[in-house]
Amino acid sequence: MWLPFTQMSDYEKDPLIIASGEGVTVTDIHGKTYLDGYSSLWLNVHGHRKKELDEAIQTQLQSIAHSTLLGAANIPSILLAEKLVKLVPERLTRVFYSDSGATSVEIAVKMAYQYWQNKGLEKKTRFVTVSNGYHGDTVGTMSVGSIELYHKVYTSLLFDALVIPFPSVYRHPSGDENIVRDESLQELRLLFEERHEEIAGMVLEPMIQGAGGMNTMPAGYLKGVEKLCNEFNVLLIVDEVATGFGRTGKMFAVEHEGIQPDLMTVAKGLTGGYLPVAATFATEEIYDAFYGEYEEMKTFFHGHSYTGNQLGCAVALANLEIFEKEQLVKQSEEKSTFLKELLVNVKQLPHVGDVRQCGLMCGIEIVKDKHTKESFPLESRVAYRATLEMRKLGLLTRPLGDVIVLMPPLATSNEQLAEMVALMVEGIKAVTEESVAMDSIQQ
Ligand SMILES: *Cc1c(COP(=O)(O)O)cnc(C)c1O
């Protein structure tokens, strides 16, 4: 095998192979059990082997596993669409399925582009994105993404998006939320004033950027972006792939600021982490721009073989039922508050520069010097080594550069949250103390 986002020479040194899972733990082939501190890469919601989800798949199997959605519909996909439309912001009335976060964003981008073509505003072809944004690894989603480490090598392959800087409070000299927000919005306004006639849409992750380093937005920023998009006739595309389904303490992160996007994408948590199903939501206005006689050539010519897969939609439906039954969003909000208290101790560690959190999505940024915010040298891979240490201690997670991610399943108990944080602290301490010791030997 060739593993995703993995340097295989690293992996070979100590390969991890998972054999089973139960609740918020997974077990490897040697019988060692780990807490799933990254929700199996931000997917898992209710823990592994959730009875209702297992049963939903078994029940659906008695009817059919898959039939195509091209020119045909099926029962679970209809029921799921009906349920989803009731949950998302009210302007979003149409559901277009696919099978991963990347495809859901790729679809939103193509829809936004063709929307303006169909409306006869042919100059509106460009996209605005925020630095460090991440929307998937296909060529289209990399184009609207902006993470130098992942995207640089492909630069000449990508279409050229307009990038505005992320409003990072930690890295801003003022350290003041309001100043950072207002400056960033002013910059966006200037860009729109100058170029709105050529801009089709703006793409961003709401409230917190995931893969870009768990970067939280100043309060009011997202609302400000929405206002500017409305003012300048730019479609607002919100990527809820990571933040959706309770992860930030709301069903969707847009609810924190009452945002009504034109297009919105979901994937990861949609099936509770069981099967690959994604969705792109559109307003009725966008849907209408594609509606007409075939000869008008307004059709959205896009689809994937497994779009609307019945097993996937059935398990997604069961997932949403558990959200209702267990009042999971409320639980997530309460657990976030508990987690926030736990993280206060982490912030005290000598090499933790910043702790960022939005609900149950957290990033812990490791720095060499807390006062200057200077990083450890790239080759020391401190955050990566800290996660290896955590793995030894029985906690799975993955770093993003210098940032250690904690993103537990929503079903994690308070005791388990405390255990996860304690193991993180132990892992961080072991590696940062060692790095500092090595530094002073070299000096
Ligand atoms: C993970 C992620 C994606 C890509 O999803 P895949 O299912 O891995 O293709 C897109 N956007 C955001 C915000 C993500 O976190």
Side-chain angles (χ1 to χ4, degrees):
M1 287 190 354
W2 184 353
L3 305 182
F5 274 105
T6 302
Q7 175 46 259
M8 292 307 285
S9 71
D10 280 342
Y11 177 76
E12 283 165 3
K13 287 174 197 150
D14 189 9
L16 173 65
I17 305 175
I18 300 300
S20 64
E22 185 75 52
V24 301
T25 64
V26 293
T27 302
D28 71 15
I29 50 170
H30 306 295
K32 183 171 166 68
T33 293
Y34 309 86
L35 285 162
D36 191 352
Y38 59 177
S39 297
S40 293
L41 234 296
W42 315 359
L43 308 176
N44 194 279
V45 177
H46 313 288
H48 299 278
R49 297 196 61 216
K50 181 78 174 171
K51 192 164 154 279
E52 293 91 327
L53 300 187
D54 294 2
E55 282 170 5
I57 295 174
Q58 283 156 2
T59 306
Q60 179 57 39
L61 269 174
Q62 288 162 18
S63 306
I64 186 171
H66 181 79
S67 65
T68 184
L69 224 62
L70 275 65
N74 67 56
I75 296 165
S77 66
I78 294 170
L79 296 177
L80 179 61
E82 185 184 30
K83 209 165 190 116
L84 284 170
V85 161
K86 285 184 189 139
L87 291 174
V88 297
E90 62 199 15
R91 277 185 69 217
L92 300 168
T93 51
R94 297 285 168 175
V95 182
F96 194 100
Y97 288 114
S98 60
D99 38 40
S100 74
T103 56
S104 72
V105 177
E106 191 91 22
I107 286 163
V109 165
K110 285 178 69 177
M111 276 179 179
Y113 183 96
Q114 192 178 342
Y115 170 77
W116 295 113
Q117 298 300 307
N118 286 3
K119 301 253 300 179
L121 281 147
E122 278 135 21
K123 276 196 297 185
K124 282 175 99 62
T125 57
R126 303 200 62 182
F127 289 86
V128 177
T129 184
V130 185
S131 61
N132 279 316
Y134 177 81
H135 303 286
D137 299 319
T138 57
V139 172
T141 54
M142 284 195 295
S143 300
V144 293
S146 171
I147 298 183
E148 169 140 338
L149 176 67
Y150 304 160
H151 302 151
K152 194 171 168 223
V153 66
Y154 304 109
T155 303
S156 70
L157 181 64
L158 307 181
F159 65 76
D160 210 10
L162 302 159
V163 183
I164 59 158
F166 181 85
S168 163
V169 177
Y170 180 57
R171 294 282 166 193
H172 193 277
S174 76
D176 182 307
E177 254 207 344
N178 297 328
I179 294 175
V180 176
R181 179 195 58 225
D182 295 347
E183 262 185 31
S184 300
L185 289 173
Q186 184 56 21
E187 201 158 335
L188 182 62
R189 169 174 287 282
L190 293 177
L191 176 69
F192 280 178
E193 273 171 358
E194 197 185 321
R195 313 186 73 157
H196 67 97
E197 284 177 359
E198 49 177 304
I199 298 173
M202 163 139 187
V203 189
L204 80 171
E205 295 154 86
M207 302 313 288
I208 180 167
Q209 288 185 323
M214 294 286 155
N215 307 312
T216 47
M217 289 173 175
Y221 176 76
L222 192 60
K223 196 71 194 167
V225 168
E226 180 193 46
K227 276 202 193 115
L228 289 171
C229 284
N230 289 339
E231 186 179 335
F232 289 97
N233 217 15
V234 169
L235 295 179
L236 175 60
I237 305 169
V238 168
D239 178 352
E240 288 261 10
V241 169
T243 48
F245 304 102
R247 203 66 72 172
T248 70
K250 302 274 183 203
M251 192 51 146
F252 298 106
V254 287
E255 293 168 24
H256 287 282
E257 302 203 337
I259 306 300
Q260 293 281 343
D262 298 287
L263 291 152
M264 188 170 111
T265 67
V266 295
K268 293 191 169 109
L270 171 56
T271 61
Y274 265 56
L275 285 168
V277 178
T280 306
F281 302 102
T283 59
E284 203 63 17
E285 193 185 343
I286 291 175
Y287 177 79
D288 281 344
F290 289 77
Y291 191 90
E293 295 303 321
Y294 184 79
E295 305 75 56
E296 293 176 71
M297 285 297 145
K298 289 177 172 177
T299 310
F300 188 51
F301 290 110
H302 186 109
H304 300 279
S305 310
Y306 279 98
T307 290
N309 174 265
Q310 280 98 320
L311 292 177
C313 290
V315 76
L317 268 167
N319 171 40
L320 296 179
E321 275 161 24
I322 303 172
F323 267 89
E324 280 167 34
K325 201 176 77 189
E326 297 184 3
Q327 296 201 307
L328 216 53
V329 175
K330 190 161 153 272
Q331 277 198 52
S332 166
E333 199 184 344
E334 289 164 4
K335 285 174 188 175
S336 306
T337 310
F338 180 74
L339 184 56
K340 192 172 186 162
E341 287 161 21
L342 293 172
L343 290 171
V344 171
N345 296 328
V346 179
K347 185 80 195 277
Q348 309 299 328
L349 293 175
H351 292 282
V352 170
D354 197 20
V355 173
R356 296 183 286 270
Q357 181 193 4
C358 184
L360 292 175
M361 294 177 71
C362 316
I364 293 148
E365 184 164 338
I366 308 293
V367 290
K368 186 171 166 193
D369 186 321
K370 251 179 126 114
H371 301 288
T372 62
K373 302 175 186 177
E374 186 198 343
S375 313
F376 279 104
L378 190 72
E379 58 286 359
S380 72
R381 302 180 75 189
V382 173
Y384 171 69
R385 287 191 293 115
T387 60
L388 291 184
E389 198 64 33
M390 290 172 207
R391 181 178 141 192
K392 277 191 218 147
L393 297 167
L395 171 70
L396 291 186
T397 187
R398 264 175 74 89
L400 297 162
D402 293 329
V403 177
I404 293 166
V405 176
L406 179 63
M407 197 154 158
L410 269 54
T412 311
S413 69
N414 283 355
E415 293 73 40
Q416 287 164 325
L417 284 175
E419 202 181 333
M420 285 180 185
V421 172
L423 296 178
M424 291 196 96
V425 167
E426 215 176 311
I428 293 170
K429 270 190 181 163
V431 170
T432 49
E433 279 162 16
E434 181 186 302
S435 289
V436 170
M438 273 168 54
D439 249 31
S440 47
I441 290 167
Q442 278 162 8
Q443 281 162 13

